[in-house]
Amino acid sequence: MKNKKQGSAQWLSLIFLIVLGVVWITPLLYGLMSSFKSNLEMQSVGFKFLPINWLFTNYTRLLQNTSNTPVFRWFLNSIVISGGSTILVLVVTSLSAFAFSRLRFRGRNVLFMFLLSTMMFPPVMNIIPLYKIMTTLGWANTPWAMIFPAATGVFNIFLIRQFMDNIPIAYDEAARIDGASDWQIFRIVILPLIKPVLFVVALFTFTGSWNDFLWPSIVFSDINKMPITPGLKLLQGMYVADIPTLMAGAIIAIIPTFILYLVAQKYFLQSMSLSVGVKG
Amino acid sequence: MVDISSKSGNVSTNRKKTWHLHGKSFPILYLLPHLIVFTIFFLIPLIFGIYIAFTKWDLVRTPVFVGWDNFKTLLFSHSIFHDQLTSGLWHTILFVLISVPFCILVPLLLAVVLNTKPIFAKFFQGLFYLPSLFSISAVVIVWSLIFNPNYGPLNTLFHLDQVWTGTQPWAWMTIVILTVWWTIGGNMIIYQAALNGIPQDYYEAADIDGASRWKKFIHITLPSIRGQLLFTIVTTTIAQFNIYGQPLMMTNGGPNGSTTVLMMNVQQNAFGSGQSLAGISSAMAVILGICITIVSMVQLFLLRNKD
């Protein structure tokens, strides 16, 4: 009786998911298919899902453009910025989390609570002065303008510390008896054990930096230096009458995070439960 | 630091030990990299930003302190800035009011459905999460094709002639739809994890009492995931208050400025063409920031007091 009831619920669920799933994926697939159409086909054929003639020229034209919309350049800039941010965030936050989790010092909890409390200030309030600081340092239009602000985040420290707190302190003590220093405990004992959470932090930092829109569109005015996310805004202005090319630009921009997701889906999904296990 | 100098006497005999900081703790060395970056690129800009709100500033010359003038202009005068603040803030709040319920209920429904564990559940989970990995500019470009009045599938397939982004209420609808599409993934995963954590005996006990599916949802499921609901309502509201990219790229604030949100005014006044009005723009940002903080505190208070 119960199994039968459960079975029917599962079938209803499946039908619901298929319908909504189709709705969900259609915009993306339609955009993808349109990126292979010619502009003429787009404008004359009306509704047709698949291209009549599969063209790759929209992509090649965009990637070869080096003047007003250097998409390939933007792509490389984004790789440098997101990669740099990820490395800095990993180094800086894991060190800090180690101190908060494992080292004893005066004011530890006060400092940690202070850092956490700053999370309630929305980033809109510091964007104007941050711009001034970046131009003063001469870092506007350089990757540093995005890499350093990325490493200010407190939530990553929070996550890593939480993860570290679950590692038995006995591990440290065993190493300490063998004469290990703090640094050795961090490098040899802790670091290998926190790899899962570091991987999660890395994925989120990379995609977060890749997708950041407001800040880079303010701090990058040089068309050759900007990353691809604000670049797409320029592309939209430039190709307002050439939708297939515009679609190709958007598809190029989402490829890296899409691939990351395919490779590391488990970690993306796990991270959400990590952050909620903490807050919930 | 004191420890180093007091030990300096036996540094030569103990050089290797000191170098490795054996048995000694220097927590500050681990904290410092983050604290330096945090101070320069978060704390100072934050404090400076609040100060700037009380000045007249063009981003170049020295800021001139003007007291509460910016706030008086924004809140009480009959000026363009007052209009920008009131309409921009109202549009932002309107968007929050419309979008947040969907951004909570749609993922909650999906999580409940996925929790019945149908086949391909993992696949669908991945599918619904996928859009949240993309940038707002890519998302808007894809959706602007869907809603394109001339060549978009919505008009061509259903033989409509609707200028979706150029007429209300459709302009808001397009923005809300793409926002829901873009953002539900995270909340869905959170609810799924929460639902998985509810002990199965609760439901079995309710089954014995003959409780309906809906009753079980209201009396067992919802209370059990209250913490996660609270968390997502607060974070989603904060996230939607920061709306900027959607109207900027989808509707360009139109039609007739009816989707121009406050962040667009902040950005325009500080970094738009012409002389920068960083002072008044900062004051706008501070007001928006205060609104966000107040709303999230009220939410926390209301939802915590239910027990």
Side-chain angles (χ1 to χ4, degrees):
Chain A
M1 172 66 192
K2 190 172 158 259
N3 277 339
K4 205 174 164 190
K5 209 172 153 192
Q6 222 168 15
S8 71
Q10 282 181 336
W11 279 110
L12 277 176
S13 299
L14 188 63
I15 292 165
F16 175 81
L17 288 172
I18 290 172
V19 172
L20 206 65
V22 168
V23 171
W24 231 250
I25 199 69
T26 298
L28 207 55
L29 284 183
Y30 196 80
L32 179 68
M33 290 307 138
S34 301
S35 72
F36 297 114
K37 294 174 183 172
S38 74
N39 200 20
L40 187 68
E41 184 185 327
M42 185 88 229
Q43 300 189 352
S44 55
V45 172
F47 180 80
K48 196 153 185 319
F49 192 71
L50 293 174
I52 299 169
N53 293 309
W54 289 73
L55 287 179
F56 291 88
T57 46
N58 296 325
Y59 287 90
T60 50
R61 184 151 26 98
L62 272 184
L63 292 173
Q64 282 164 0
N65 185 319
T66 51
S67 54
N68 53 4
T69 52
V71 170
F72 188 61
R73 191 67 207 259
W74 291 343
F75 192 89
L76 293 182
N77 294 340
S78 276
I79 297 269
V80 169
I81 289 168
S82 304
S85 302
T86 307
I87 293 168
L88 187 67
V89 165
L90 286 180
V91 171
V92 159
T93 52
S94 61
L95 283 173
S96 181
F98 178 69
F100 282 119
S101 173
R102 285 304 203 258
L103 305 180
R104 312 238 145 259
F105 55 95
R106 232 174 21 168
R108 185 173 82 162
N109 291 333
V110 175
L111 181 61
F112 193 63
M113 290 317 286
F114 167 73
L115 288 178
L116 280 185
S117 70
T118 61
M119 277 169 60
M120 74 178 190
F121 292 103
V124 297
M125 290 165 77
N126 62 17
I127 259 179
I128 296 169
L130 194 56
Y131 174 80
K132 182 65 181 174
I133 289 174
M134 288 303 172
T135 49
T136 309
L137 291 169
W139 286 357
N141 289 309
T142 72
W144 303 119
M146 288 192 70
I147 291 175
F148 279 104
T152 61
V154 177
F155 190 66
N156 289 327
I157 299 178
F158 186 67
L159 269 188
I160 300 174
R161 189 189 99 133
Q162 210 71 21
F163 199 88
M164 277 184 196
D165 284 348
N166 287 329
I167 298 170
I169 198 90
Y171 291 13
D172 303 35
E173 281 159 0
R176 221 175 277 279
I177 288 167
D178 291 343
S181 64
D182 288 342
W183 176 248
Q184 285 167 327
I185 288 171
F186 175 68
R187 277 295 317 273
I188 298 162
V189 180
I190 300 292
L191 216 47
L193 291 173
I194 60 166
K195 266 186 194 154
V197 74
L198 290 185
F199 201 56
V200 165
V201 167
L203 284 173
F204 267 72
T205 307
F206 191 92
T207 50
S209 172
W210 189 278
N211 292 335
D212 198 5
F213 178 66
L214 173 63
W215 173 237
S217 42
I218 288 168
V219 84
F220 288 96
S221 53
D222 185 336
I223 215 167
N224 285 309
K225 301 288 166 58
M226 65 174 55
I228 197 161
T229 299
L232 287 182
K233 169 91 172 73
L234 295 184
L235 200 73
Q236 190 195 34
M238 210 68 80
Y239 290 94
V240 69
D242 185 355
I243 294 171
T245 307
L246 195 53
M247 291 305 134
I251 298 296
I252 292 171
I254 68 180
I255 284 173
T257 48
F258 181 67
I259 290 175
L260 269 187
Y261 185 54
L262 288 185
V263 177
Q265 185 180 356
K266 190 181 83 181
Y267 288 94
F268 273 103
L269 303 180
Q270 184 191 335
S271 73
M272 297 311 296
S273 25
L274 257 184
S275 62
V276 99
V278 157
K279 288 258 180 176
Chain B
M1 292 298 144
V2 177
D3 291 318
I4 292 175
S5 57
S6 68
K7 276 196 132 191
S8 61
N10 52 11
V11 152
S12 50
T13 54
N14 244 342
R15 175 173 289 273
K16 196 165 176 240
K17 263 191 139 182
T18 317
W19 184 244
H20 282 289
L21 308 175
H22 260 251
K24 270 279 148 233
S25 233
F26 297 98
I28 192 71
L29 293 177
Y30 297 84
L31 295 169
L32 217 50
H34 175 259
L35 284 182
I36 291 173
V37 176
F38 176 82
T39 307
I40 299 176
F41 299 106
F42 185 88
L43 201 57
I44 291 176
L46 182 70
I47 296 163
F48 191 35
I50 295 169
Y51 168 70
I52 288 305
F54 295 92
T55 67
K56 215 171 146 60
W57 193 35
D58 61 356
L59 279 177
V60 183
R61 276 167 290 197
T62 320
V64 180
F65 188 80
V66 293
W68 291 95
D69 276 9
N70 290 332
F71 290 95
K72 281 181 195 156
T73 310
L74 285 172
L75 293 170
F76 307 115
S77 76
H78 291 285
S79 65
I80 179 141
F81 302 113
H82 174 72
D83 297 342
Q84 279 183 3
L85 178 84
T86 47
S87 75
L89 196 56
W90 163 239
H91 296 150
T92 305
I93 291 171
L94 186 67
F95 171 75
V96 170
L97 290 176
I98 305 171
S99 68
V100 169
F102 287 108
C103 293
I104 300 296
L105 292 176
V106 174
L108 183 59
L109 177 66
L110 277 173
V112 169
V113 169
L114 286 168
N115 201 44
T116 64
K117 312 236 166 23
I119 46 169
F120 303 129
K122 274 265 170 276
F123 169 79
F124 284 111
Q125 182 195 37
L127 176 69
F128 293 118
Y129 186 79
L130 186 63
S132 55
L133 291 159
F134 304 146
S135 66
I136 187 57
S137 51
V139 166
V140 168
I141 284 178
V142 168
W143 277 94
S144 65
L145 168 59
I146 304 300
F147 290 116
N148 186 293
N150 301 317
Y151 320 118
L154 212 55
N155 276 357
T156 52
L157 180 60
F158 300 108
H159 301 286
L160 300 171
D161 199 17
Q162 189 66 50
V163 187
W164 299 101
T165 55
T167 46
Q168 292 291 18
W170 305 114
W172 272 124
M173 197 195 70
T174 61
I175 290 174
V176 170
I177 286 177
L178 83 86
T179 304
V180 172
W181 184 80
W182 183 41
T183 55
I184 60 155
N187 286 354
M188 178 188 74
I189 306 289
I190 290 174
Y191 299 145
Q192 274 187 285
L195 292 175
N196 266 329
I198 305 175
Q200 212 51 46
D201 346 348
Y202 291 8
Y203 293 107
E204 280 159 18
D207 278 335
I208 293 168
D209 294 342
S212 68
R213 206 180 280 279
W214 177 249
K215 275 239 154 69
K216 282 188 276 183
F217 180 74
I218 295 294
H219 294 292
I220 301 174
T221 311
L222 281 186
S224 304
I225 62 169
R226 215 183 56 108
Q228 286 84 354
L229 278 176
L230 161 73
F231 175 69
T232 52
I233 288 171
V234 172
T235 52
T236 306
T237 307
I238 292 173
Q240 306 307 13
F241 251 104
N242 285 298
I243 180 179
Y244 172 72
Q246 294 96 311
L248 181 77
M249 287 184 65
M250 195 76 188
T251 59
N252 198 15
N256 284 325
S258 58
T259 55
T260 304
V261 294
L262 194 54
M263 268 315 291
M264 291 167 72
N265 293 329
V266 171
Q267 197 273 344
Q268 263 308 310
N269 286 329
F271 305 108
S273 52
Q275 200 194 25
S276 168
L277 302 161
I280 202 133
S281 180
S282 232
M284 275 187 194
V286 167
I287 291 175
L288 181 62
I290 291 171
C291 287
I292 296 174
T293 312
I294 289 177
V295 169
S296 40
M297 292 217 170
V298 167
Q299 282 179 331
L300 281 171
F301 178 77
L302 285 179
L303 289 157
R304 274 212 190 283
N305 259 9
K306 278 219 170 123
D307 263 349

